[in-house]
């Protein structure tokens, strides 16, 4: 019988630890809701049977990505996931004549994956293996930490940031996702954000062990804060409900990124809990927006004036999602934001608390404006014949 | 202005990459028996990758962008091959050279992936050309808005 370090050079191992099982549960939950939604709205009639096949491939590869303990298999799953999401976006974009947004998405995702790949090759040069457990054991002391290791770490982190539409590319989400049809693209963008956060936590905490270095902490906190602020300010300029929600989701991911940067156990706990609560309320808001789209055929906020009187239940669910997004006490996001603020206060990073509360207030302002549009004002002429929704839809709203 | 910043980023990346290839040429692997080769392999591979990035970022013509994608792939495959070449590292008690097998696996899979991405990008470029009648990515966007 061989020991683990010998065996892991030949086989490709998978592991289920508490970090990966959390992300797997969140991803499964989002896909579960989305499959119910797509069956109710008969998306296969609109998009064809290949739509479900691509969605299933994306689901399986994201679960495999989360569970793999080898850089090689992690990269393969990531590439399968991004390639099939590009195909899914391109299929929808082809019908609407927005194919160049899919081209842009492909080029960006290729840039990210080539950065990750060069980082992986340089790690392989240094350790002659791609097994994460072996690399993590060797890097737990600082003596093996050379300039080449730092170079590969920088390539990996920047590659995953590009891939997850975080800091350098978070303004491009408008082009690459929201032009194409509704909810599928948005679910994909949430999925890419979540997998990017998972990869960052896995690389920074459990493989390279760099989070007790103060400059690295400040770097990640800076990235998180910029993501929060740019997300919320870009959302203010949008008149399209889906684009607005996409930018709010980017700014919510910024909270988690800043929480990861603090580097204490309780703060990572808060960040992970914010991913769960964020996934729930953002899914609620996006599904509400999609219901409005399917009934009215538009998401332009100037046309949607007064829609709350025609679709009262959907608008009420939207209010619940709004309150959750701002961290009002009975909802889950209050707990997660409180955890983040408290542990940031303990470590002395006060900037997170200031910017975080500022962004929460801005989110509240933004979504209150949308709700005001929903309930106050004359109904637009094109919305006069909108019917109420069937009862079966509200099983979605009861989680 | 935008292309100036892109070029600046590329130059900085190039300086770092060439410095790193010098370090890699002197051999800092912690495994005994890992290959120590001249930096010229790594300098060549990084040059091809950086040329690909230049075409991908600065050029506006979609066909040239696809060529850039293909070039980055070729550079990455060169990098893998120069790392795997001539290794004496063996897995004890199994009888196969693990390094050779993993390098072969990586190379074949990355060639396939590169061809897939290039083919998809080329197909998209042709479709956009049929739709808008322009080869430039910027002009296609302007027509849309």
């Amino acid at each position: 019988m061989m020991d683990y370090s010998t065996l892991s050079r030949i086989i490709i191992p998978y592991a289920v630890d508490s970090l990966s099982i959390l992300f797997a549960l969140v991803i499964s939950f989002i896909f579960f809701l989305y499959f119910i939604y797509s069956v109710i709205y008969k998306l296969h009639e609109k998009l064809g049977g290949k739509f479900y096949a691509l969605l299933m491939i994306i689901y399986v590869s994201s679960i495999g990505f989360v569970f793999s303990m080898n850089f090689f298999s992690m990269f393969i799953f990531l590439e399968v996931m991004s390639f099939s999401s590009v195909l899914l976006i391109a299929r929808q974009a082809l019908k609407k004549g927005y194919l160049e947004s899919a081209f842009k998405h492909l080029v960006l995702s290729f840039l990210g994956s080539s950065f990750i790949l060069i980082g992986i090759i340089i790690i392989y040069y240094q350790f002659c293996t791609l097994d994460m457990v072996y690399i993590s054991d060797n890097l737990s002391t600082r003596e093996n930490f050379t300039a080449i290791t730092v170079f590969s770490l920088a390539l990996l982190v920047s590659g995953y940031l590009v891939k997850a539409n975080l800091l350098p590319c978070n303004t491009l989400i408008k082009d690459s996702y929201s032009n194409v049809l509704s909810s599928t693209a948005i679910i994909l963008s949430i999925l890419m954000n979540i997998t990017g956060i998972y990869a960052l936590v896995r690389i920074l905490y459990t493989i390279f062990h760099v989070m007790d270095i103060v400059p690295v902490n400040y770097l990640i906190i800076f990235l998180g804060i910029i993501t929060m602020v740019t997300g919320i300010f870009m959302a203010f300029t949008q008149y399209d409900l889906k684009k607005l929600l996409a930018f709010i989701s980017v700014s919510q991911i910024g909270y988690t990124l800043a929480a990861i940067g603090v580097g204490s156990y309780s703060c990572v706990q808060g960040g992970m809990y914010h991913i769960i609560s964020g996934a729930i309320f953002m899914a609620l808001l996006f599904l509400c927006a999609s219901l409005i789209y399917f009934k009215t055929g538009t998401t332009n906020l100037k046309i949607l004036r007064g829609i709350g009187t025609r679709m009262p239940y959907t608008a009420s669910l939207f209010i619940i999602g709004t309150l959750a997004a701002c961290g009002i006490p009975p909802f889950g996001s209050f707990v997660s934001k409180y955890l983040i603020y408290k542990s940031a206060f303990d470590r002395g990073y006060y900037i997170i608390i200031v910017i975080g509360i500022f962004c929460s207030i801005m989110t509240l302002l933004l979504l209150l404006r949308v709700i005001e549009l929903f309930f106050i004002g004359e109904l637009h002429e094109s919305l006069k014949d909108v019917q109420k929704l069937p009862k079966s839809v509200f099983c979605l709203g009861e989680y | 202005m935008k292309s100036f910043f892109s070029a600046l980023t590329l130059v900085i990346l190039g300086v770092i990459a060439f410095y790193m290839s010098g370090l890699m040429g002197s051999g800092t692997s912690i495994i005994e028996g890992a290959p120590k080769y001249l930096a010229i392999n790594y300098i060549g591979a990084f040059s091809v990758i950086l040329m690909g990035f230049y075409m991908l970022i600065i050029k506006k013509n979609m066909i040239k962008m696809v060529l850039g994608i293909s070039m980055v792939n070729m550079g990455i495959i060169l990098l893998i091959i120069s790392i795997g070449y001539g290794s004496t590292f063996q897995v004890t008690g199994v009888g196969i050279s693990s390094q050779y097998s993993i390098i072969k696996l990586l190379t074949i899979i990355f060639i396939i992936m590169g061809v897939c991405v290039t083919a998809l990008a080329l197909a998209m470029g042709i479709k956009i050309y049929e739709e808008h009648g322009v080869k430039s990515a910027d002009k296609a966007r302007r027509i849309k808005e």
Side-chain angles (χ1 to χ4, degrees):
Chain A
M1 194 60 200
M2 287 179 289
D3 59 331
Y4 178 75
S5 64
T6 315
L7 201 62
S8 66
R9 284 159 198 274
I10 308 158
I11 59 170
I12 290 178
Y14 294 87
V16 180
D17 59 358
S18 50
L19 180 67
S20 54
I21 203 161
L22 177 98
F23 279 86
L25 282 176
V26 172
I27 291 169
S28 307
F29 179 70
I30 292 173
F31 269 94
F32 172 67
L33 286 182
Y34 188 66
F35 281 130
I36 293 178
Y37 168 84
S38 58
V39 168
I40 289 175
Y41 272 94
K42 298 188 176 60
L43 285 185
H44 54 277
E45 287 176 4
K46 291 192 177 82
L47 304 169
K50 282 173 192 161
F51 164 73
Y52 280 119
L54 284 173
L55 214 57
M56 282 291 185
I57 291 173
I58 293 170
Y59 176 50
V60 168
S61 55
S62 57
I63 295 293
F65 174 80
V66 166
F67 283 152
S68 59
M69 288 305 280
N70 187 307
F71 276 114
F72 175 69
S73 54
M74 206 168 162
F75 178 78
I76 295 292
F77 281 125
L78 183 71
E79 198 69 351
V80 169
M81 185 163 63
S82 58
F83 198 73
S84 23
S85 67
V86 166
L87 274 179
L88 199 58
I89 287 173
R91 272 174 61 80
Q92 301 184 357
L94 191 59
K95 289 176 185 163
K96 293 197 144 198
Y98 286 142
L99 199 57
E100 59 276 2
S101 65
F103 185 79
K104 192 174 178 180
H105 185 60
L106 176 67
V107 169
L108 267 182
S109 102
F110 174 76
L111 263 181
S113 61
S114 60
F115 269 52
I116 294 168
L117 187 49
I118 300 169
I120 288 174
I121 294 168
I122 291 171
I123 284 181
Y124 186 81
Y125 167 80
Q126 207 185 8
F127 296 101
C128 283
T129 180
L130 289 176
D131 177 50
M132 286 181 182
V133 178
Y134 182 81
I135 294 169
S136 169
D137 284 347
N138 275 290
L139 284 175
S140 56
T141 55
R142 285 286 146 70
E143 58 199 30
N144 289 325
F145 226 88
T146 59
I148 292 178
T149 324
V150 177
F151 185 48
S152 67
L153 173 64
L155 281 173
L156 281 174
V157 169
S158 52
Y160 278 114
L161 284 177
V162 171
K163 203 81 175 171
N165 286 314
L166 289 177
L167 185 65
C169 306
N170 56 356
T171 54
L172 299 174
I173 189 175
K174 169 173 67 118
D175 282 348
S176 52
Y177 284 111
S178 307
N179 274 337
V180 293
L181 183 86
S182 70
S183 44
T184 315
I186 301 297
I187 293 292
L188 289 181
S189 92
I190 295 181
L191 184 70
M192 290 312 274
N193 277 335
I194 289 176
T195 49
I197 289 290
Y198 167 78
L200 283 180
V201 175
R202 177 64 79 195
I203 286 169
L204 290 172
Y205 278 92
T206 66
I207 296 172
F208 284 89
H209 308 284
V210 288
M211 289 318 288
D212 47 352
I213 307 172
V214 175
V216 181
N217 285 352
Y218 272 110
L219 179 69
I220 305 290
I221 289 172
F222 175 74
L223 289 175
I225 284 172
I226 297 289
T227 310
M228 269 193 243
V229 174
T230 49
I232 206 74
F233 278 118
M234 290 291 285
F236 261 98
T237 62
Q238 305 300 322
Y239 279 98
D240 188 302
L241 186 56
K242 275 179 299 186
K243 288 183 187 178
L244 190 145
L245 290 177
F247 280 112
I248 288 178
S249 122
V250 167
S251 100
Q252 295 297 326
I253 289 293
Y255 279 91
T256 312
L257 199 57
I260 289 167
V262 172
S264 68
Y265 179 74
S266 59
C267 208
V268 176
Q269 229 175 7
M272 295 303 111
Y273 192 57
H274 195 69
I275 283 210
I276 302 174
S277 56
I280 294 172
F281 70 73
M282 284 323 288
L284 175 61
L285 288 176
F286 277 128
L287 292 179
C288 286
S290 307
L291 289 182
I292 291 171
Y293 177 79
F294 271 104
K295 277 295 164 187
T296 62
T298 178
T299 50
N300 193 337
L301 284 176
K302 286 174 183 166
I303 301 176
L304 284 177
R305 183 175 285 275
I307 189 67
T309 54
R310 288 283 165 169
M311 304 170 74
Y313 296 113
T314 313
S316 325
L317 288 176
F318 197 89
I319 292 175
I320 292 175
T322 305
L323 295 179
C326 313
I328 306 289
F331 298 102
S333 58
F334 168 72
V335 181
S336 57
K337 281 182 181 173
Y338 176 73
L339 272 174
I340 294 172
Y341 296 155
K342 184 173 177 298
S343 43
F345 186 80
D346 290 343
R347 295 291 287 258
Y349 297 112
Y350 304 114
I351 182 88
I352 296 178
I353 306 168
V354 176
I355 304 280
I357 292 174
F358 171 73
C359 286
S360 288
I361 295 169
M362 294 298 249
T363 313
L364 183 63
L365 276 178
L366 191 62
L367 288 173
L368 277 183
R369 202 191 68 181
V370 176
I371 291 170
E372 186 200 348
L373 279 177
F374 277 177
F375 281 109
I376 298 169
E378 291 280 308
L379 198 62
H380 195 274
E381 285 172 7
S382 63
L383 302 178
K384 293 283 193 222
D385 51 347
V386 171
Q387 301 295 317
K388 281 188 180 176
L389 288 164
K391 282 268 164 28
S392 60
V393 175
F394 294 106
C395 64
L396 285 175
E398 287 177 3
Y399 52 79
Chain B
M1 202 60 187
K2 196 177 152 194
S3 61
F4 171 73
F5 278 118
S6 313
L8 194 67
T9 316
L10 279 178
V11 167
I12 293 171
L13 201 63
V15 170
I16 296 172
F18 290 141
Y19 175 65
M20 286 302 153
S21 50
L23 283 185
M24 285 164 81
S26 62
T28 51
S29 176
I30 62 164
I31 308 290
E32 285 184 27
K36 292 182 173 59
Y37 280 101
L38 285 177
I40 187 73
N41 279 341
Y42 306 116
I43 290 176
F46 276 123
S47 319
V48 177
I49 291 172
L50 285 170
M51 273 188 263
F53 278 153
Y54 172 80
M55 288 170 79
L56 205 55
I57 293 170
I58 307 246
K59 296 289 177 189
K60 300 296 177 205
N61 191 329
M62 272 183 279
I63 306 295
K64 285 180 187 168
M65 284 163 86
V66 175
L67 283 178
I69 289 177
S70 173
M71 216 158 164
V72 173
N73 271 312
M74 290 304 126
I76 286 172
I77 290 163
L78 261 179
L79 194 64
I80 304 172
I81 291 173
S82 35
I83 283 170
Y85 170 68
S87 155
T88 56
F89 179 72
Q90 296 274 327
V91 173
T92 49
V94 180
I96 54 160
S97 168
S98 147
Q99 174 136 7
Y100 277 133
S101 59
I102 285 183
I103 286 290
K104 269 181 205 161
L105 198 70
L106 284 171
T107 316
I108 290 168
I109 284 178
F110 296 143
I111 288 173
I112 293 169
M113 278 191 172
V115 169
C116 285
V117 173
T118 315
L120 185 62
L122 204 54
M124 277 184 191
I126 289 170
K127 273 282 176 193
I128 294 168
Y129 181 67
E130 279 176 0
E131 228 169 81
H132 298 302
V134 285
K135 286 181 201 135
S136 162
D138 274 14
K139 282 179 188 162
R141 279 188 63 204
R142 215 166 290 145
I143 284 170
K144 182 194 74 187
E145 291 162 357

